[in-house]
């Protein structure tokens, strides 16, 4: 049974930082590309980042230069370091396992909610 449990969300002031973690179980974590997706209140889901099996990283324009994705295969854990947070980053953040059939087109993860785990809420507000 695949499980993805994100944690680390909370309330932070604009300009602050948070680090999200996602512990994975039930599958061979190191054999899969992984991704983060977020859903802001009243808005469509947005793909924000991915990391492939080899460690190459990819980011949406909205978070490039501010967010860093990483993984620790020994701990079956995915991370998202978020710096210089803005109010528009307020959302529920979901980690996800990327199905191979996407062929590296990570933006399509917004349509693959069956592969998302339980999210964690990030609120950026003063």
């Amino acid at each position: 049974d695949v499980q993805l449990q994100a944690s680390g969300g909370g309330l932070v002031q604009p300009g602050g930082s948070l680090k999200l973690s996602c512990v994975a179980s039930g599958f061979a974590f190191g054999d899969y590309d992984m991704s983060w997706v977020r859903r802001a209140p009243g808005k469509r889901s947005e793909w924000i980042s991915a990391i492939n099996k080899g460690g190459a990283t990819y980011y949406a324009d909205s978070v490039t230069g501010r967010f860093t994705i990483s993984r620790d295969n020994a701990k079956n854990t995915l991370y998202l370091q978020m710096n210089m947070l803005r109010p528009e980053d307020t959302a529920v953040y979901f980690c996800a396992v990327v199905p191979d059939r996407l062929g590296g087109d990570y933006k399509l993860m917004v349509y693959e909610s069956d592969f998302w785990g339980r999210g964690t809420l990030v609120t950026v507000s003063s």
Side-chain angles (χ1 to χ4, degrees):
D1 187 23
V2 173
Q3 293 194 17
L4 298 167
Q5 180 62 62
S7 62
L11 174 64
V12 62
Q13 293 187 341
S17 298
L18 279 177
K19 186 173 185 177
L20 306 183
S21 299
C22 174
V23 177
S25 62
F27 66 103
F29 179 77
D31 290 346
Y32 287 87
D33 298 357
M34 298 295 295
S35 184
W36 288 96
V37 179
R38 68 185 180 186
R39 181 183 293 150
K43 296 186 177 180
R44 292 184 176 182
S45 300
E46 179 187 14
W47 170 79
I48 56 173
S49 186
I51 183 168
N52 71 13
K53 295 182 286 292
T57 58
Y58 307 85
Y59 299 95
D61 289 345
S62 59
V63 304
T64 296
R66 300 188 300 123
F67 290 11
T68 302
I69 189 172
S70 62
R71 65 192 298 165
D72 184 336
N73 291 341
K75 296 182 178 180
N76 285 357
T77 303
L78 180 72
Y79 301 101
L80 186 68
Q81 176 67 48
M82 305 186 294
N83 300 328
M84 295 182 285
L85 283 160
R86 305 166 179 168
E88 54 264 38
D89 294 318
T90 294
V92 178
Y93 285 71
F94 302 88
C95 68
V97 56
V98 180
D100 290 340
R101 57 180 164 76
L102 293 190
D105 193 349
Y106 300 118
K107 293 182 180 179
L108 296 178
M109 284 304 299
V110 297
Y111 305 112
E112 301 286 347
S113 58
D114 286 349
F115 292 84
W116 303 2
R118 298 185 66 178
T120 185
L121 176 63
V122 173
T123 303
V124 185
S125 176
S126 54

